[in-house]
Amino acid sequence: DVKVTQSSRYLVKRTGEKVFLECVQDMDHENMFWYRQDPGLGLRLIYFSYDVKMKEKGDIPEGYSVSREKKERFSLILESASTNQTSMYLCASEVSNQPQHFGDGTRLSIL
Amino acid sequence: RKEVEQDPGPFNVPEGATVAFNCTYSNSASQSFFWYRQDCRKEPKLLMSVYSSGNEDGRFTAQLNRASQYISLLIRDSKLSDSATYLCVVNVGRGSTLGRLYFGRGTQLTVWP
């Protein structure tokens, strides 16, 4: 069974802080993704990565960056957290053109 | 125009009812199709892939009409445990093999006793 693990289920940070969300998958998947999900807006893609050290912008990359130094780990970074980044963040991984598998999600609150 | 559109509902049905969800997608280059289920405050989980010939998994039947760019999910004999949000998901290929998923906003289903 594919396991995608996100480092925190719940996180509370302050405006202006640098925030790291970590995601690890154990199935040697090439592709990894970060989404945020907000009521009424559905899942929106922030960044994705097709290989180590590769990254591509999704639909809403502003205010975020990512890091993929190892194949199994994909980190999302909020450079300077703002209240409008309060959301549910979901990490996913996949083999190309196969279904994505999601982590449990991180509920991030920025105060 | 959104890549994937689906009726947000909510659909409220009694146990045992048959309910159908529809979804349309805009990109004719879409390569693969899925239905995901998401319970409240949980992550999306794959319910089933959707194939051109149509496919069935127990009480669930998924169909794809490429000409009309339309996907459907039929749930027969609804159970209380079917209450969830159902996400229509489309993979749009890029270049040789690498694609990305586009998610509909989800259709909310509540099954009542």
Side-chain angles (χ1 to χ4, degrees):
Chain A
D1 233 12
V2 177
K3 184 70 176 172
V4 180
T5 303
Q6 293 184 228
S7 51
S8 306
R9 290 297 303 273
Y10 301 93
L11 205 54
V12 180
K13 296 291 183 180
R14 296 204 173 276
T15 304
E17 279 192 71
K18 190 169 186 176
V19 181
F20 293 85
L21 302 183
E22 306 285 348
C23 176
V24 177
Q25 50 93 5
D26 66 356
M27 285 302 292
D28 203 36
H29 286 172
E30 301 97 347
N31 308 332
M32 296 187 74
F33 304 79
W34 274 106
Y35 298 88
R36 61 178 284 176
Q37 186 173 30
D38 301 286
L41 296 178
L43 273 85
R44 293 181 290 167
L45 181 64
I46 305 171
Y47 265 99
F48 54 110
S49 169
Y50 290 133
D51 203 350
V52 176
K53 296 193 186 296
M54 292 183 68
K55 60 185 179 184
E56 292 209 29
K57 294 180 180 179
D59 300 320
I60 51 164
E62 296 79 18
Y64 302 94
S65 62
V66 290
S67 171
R68 191 151 182 218
E69 296 296 318
K70 294 185 178 181
K71 192 174 185 179
E72 68 270 19
R73 185 179 297 270
F74 192 35
S75 303
L76 179 69
I77 303 154
L78 285 66
E79 297 291 345
S80 177
S82 62
T83 54
N84 63 11
Q85 291 178 309
T86 291
S87 186
M88 166 79 127
Y89 289 87
L90 288 156
C91 175
S93 74
E94 66 165 32
V95 172
S96 292
N97 295 320
Q98 295 300 310
Q100 290 185 3
H101 300 269
F102 286 85
D104 291 343
T106 297
R107 290 196 172 272
L108 175 65
S109 295
I110 307 296
L111 305 179
Chain B
R1 185 183 170 186
K2 290 199 171 300
E3 292 281 349
V4 181
E5 302 254 24
Q6 47 179 141
D7 181 348
F11 285 67
N12 297 304
V13 303
E15 268 189 295
T18 295
V19 60
F21 305 139
N22 302 319
C23 166
T24 57
Y25 60 95
S26 60
N27 194 325
S28 59
S30 299
Q31 295 180 338
S32 47
F33 310 87
F34 311 97
W35 282 101
Y36 277 70
R37 171 197 169 123
Q38 186 172 23
D39 294 295
C40 188
R41 303 179 76 83
K42 296 287 186 75
E43 77 277 18
K45 291 185 177 178
L46 178 69
L47 178 66
M48 58 196 303
S49 301
V50 187
Y51 304 115
S52 297
S53 54
N55 49 302
E56 189 173 306
D57 182 2
R59 298 181 293 108
F60 298 85
T61 301
Q63 297 212 311
L64 167 65
N65 184 322
R66 282 190 184 269
S68 302
Q69 296 182 195
Y70 171 96
I71 305 160
S72 65
L73 177 68
L74 183 76
I75 305 175
R76 291 182 300 278
D77 189 23
S78 300
K79 310 291 184 194
L80 297 177
S81 57
D82 293 335
S83 297
T85 297
Y86 291 83
L87 304 172
C88 177
V89 184
V90 171
N91 186 323
V92 178
R94 310 160 20 111
S96 55
T97 58
L98 303 176
R100 57 158 288 186
L101 294 187
Y102 288 89
F103 289 79
R105 292 188 182 181
T107 299
Q108 187 179 341
L109 171 67
T110 300
V111 181
W112 45 274

